Amino acid sequence: METMISVQNLRKTYKKETAVESVCFALAPGSIMGLLGPNGAGKTTTLKMITNLCAKDSGKIVIDHVSLDEDPGLALSKVGAALDTPSFYPELTARENITCFAHLYPNSSDGQVMELLAYVGLAKQADKKVKKFSLGMKQRLALARAMLSEPKLIILDEPANGLDPQGQIALYRMVSDMAKEKNTTFIVSSHQLHDMEKFCTDILILDKGKSILQGKTEDILSETTDIVDFVPEETEAAAEFLSRHSEIRLISRKGNQFTVRLEEICLDEFIKKLVASHLHIRYLAMRKNSLQDLFLKLTGGFESCAH
């Protein structure tokens, strides 16, 4: 597999507290990795080590075949990032703000600035002062700034924080389009589990600084759970059936649909018991994992406030 970024055994401690320990992952060009975890899990520390804003204690980071240790300038020239709340010069316009940052790059031009603003949907607001921008517009402007060097890897830390649902959808669509059209690789830290499930190609969940789940989103979510939904013809007979089988635990009943958890039996055994009890079933399906279910199961909870 061609690799855009490889992280091996990343570790960081603050005094006696370990913030990140033995984190490893590799991403192919055009991938979008959702970096998830409870508050204090080590997400922001991990991103800051990748962008060299925070010194690591040990480990290896290679970006587009360039070691961050051996040639940090060249490695970071391939990276664009928007960390924390986006900050700009409030009295300057969007065009003026991006132009200021464009001067840091030798090959930038006014044409490129306007092209970037158009790409993130801000062409019509190019000459509007940033102090009048909504948070969603600032997030778009931050993405334009991150794209100035035409990076192969873009890192976004909580980019959807404070955005309304429409703003979140627009932001994620933009990220997906860039990954497909420009083959840009993304690492996105977020608490928006449902959105991460839908548009990320890869998932990495951290808890207490350690990786507790990692892999392709499709593979992670393809595994079935032990939860079954079924709709019987005779609801009272089904309720009586469940009362006789402690290994089949009722989770909920909504109208004529029952949701149960299979404990110590498999799906085949469950179906055999239904048949033996002469229950007629109109619908039956075993649930697949959702990212939120996995997250809560693995971390034991979820806090939504920023860290």
Side-chain angles (χ1 to χ4, degrees), residues 136-295:
M137 293 167 70
K138 289 179 181 177
Q139 294 285 19
R140 287 170 175 260
L141 196 59
L143 185 54
R145 180 172 61 189
M147 293 167 60
L148 270 169
S149 64
E150 299 183 352
K152 295 184 177 182
L153 169 67
I154 292 182
I155 296 172
L156 304 175
D157 189 13
E158 301 286 358
N161 252 4
L163 298 186
D164 59 25
Q166 291 89 344
Q168 293 174 15
I169 291 169
L171 179 69
Y172 293 137
R173 184 178 294 128
M174 202 178 307
V175 169
S176 295
D177 289 346
M178 282 187 64
K180 293 174 183 175
E181 296 169 5
K182 299 177 180 291
N183 212 28
T184 307
T185 305
F186 284 87
I187 300 175
V188 183
S189 166
S190 179
H191 281 159
Q192 310 295 327
L193 298 179
H194 181 64
D195 294 323
M196 296 293 102
E197 178 179 315
K198 288 192 295 184
F199 93 105
C200 288
T201 61
D202 298 73
I203 293 293
L204 172 60
I205 298 180
L206 301 181
D207 190 29
K208 299 175 183 175
K210 296 181 180 179
S211 171
I212 57 172
L213 182 67
Q214 178 184 355
K216 291 291 182 183
T217 310
E218 185 178 1
D219 295 339
I220 290 171
L221 300 180
S222 66
E223 297 180 11
T224 54
T225 65
D226 53 6
I227 298 176
V228 177
D229 295 313
F230 73 98
V231 177
E233 289 283 358
E234 312 90 356
T235 55
E236 294 311 314
E240 193 275 331
F241 162 81
L242 293 175
S243 70
R244 291 187 281 109
H245 294 277
S246 59
E247 72 276 22
I248 306 168
R249 184 165 64 86
L250 178 64
I251 296 176
S252 67
R253 176 181 172 181
K254 296 179 181 177
N256 61 348
Q257 177 172 310
F258 292 76
T259 299
V260 298
R261 183 184 299 277
L262 305 183
E263 298 179 348
E264 299 179 3
I265 66 168
C266 65
L267 181 63
D268 286 347
E269 291 178 84
F270 173 58
I271 293 174
K272 287 178 182 177
K273 289 179 182 291
L274 289 174
V275 172
S277 298
H278 305 290
L279 283 173
H280 298 93
I281 304 300
R282 295 164 54 190
Y283 170 85
L284 184 147
M286 179 168 271
R287 287 191 185 179
K288 290 188 176 182
N289 282 318
S290 75
L291 192 53
Q292 179 167 302
D293 290 340
L294 282 171
F295 185 96

Side-chain angles (χ1 to χ4, degrees), residues 90-151:
E91 294 297 332
L92 298 183
T93 66
R95 187 205 305 263
E96 290 168 340
N97 264 280
I98 298 302
T99 300
C100 285
F101 291 104
H103 289 156
L104 299 172
Y105 304 98
N107 298 322
S108 63
S109 65
D110 291 340
Q112 183 199 20
V113 169
M114 283 308 300
E115 182 181 332
L116 288 175
L117 291 175
Y119 191 87
V120 299
L122 292 176
K124 293 181 179 179
Q125 290 82 26
D127 296 314
K128 183 177 182 178
K129 288 187 176 181
V130 171
K131 69 179 182 181
K132 296 181 180 179
F133 273 23
S134 66
L135 180 56
M137 293 167 70
K138 289 179 181 177
Q139 294 285 19
R140 287 170 175 260
L141 196 59
L143 185 54
R145 180 172 61 189
M147 293 167 60
L148 270 169
S149 64
E150 299 183 352

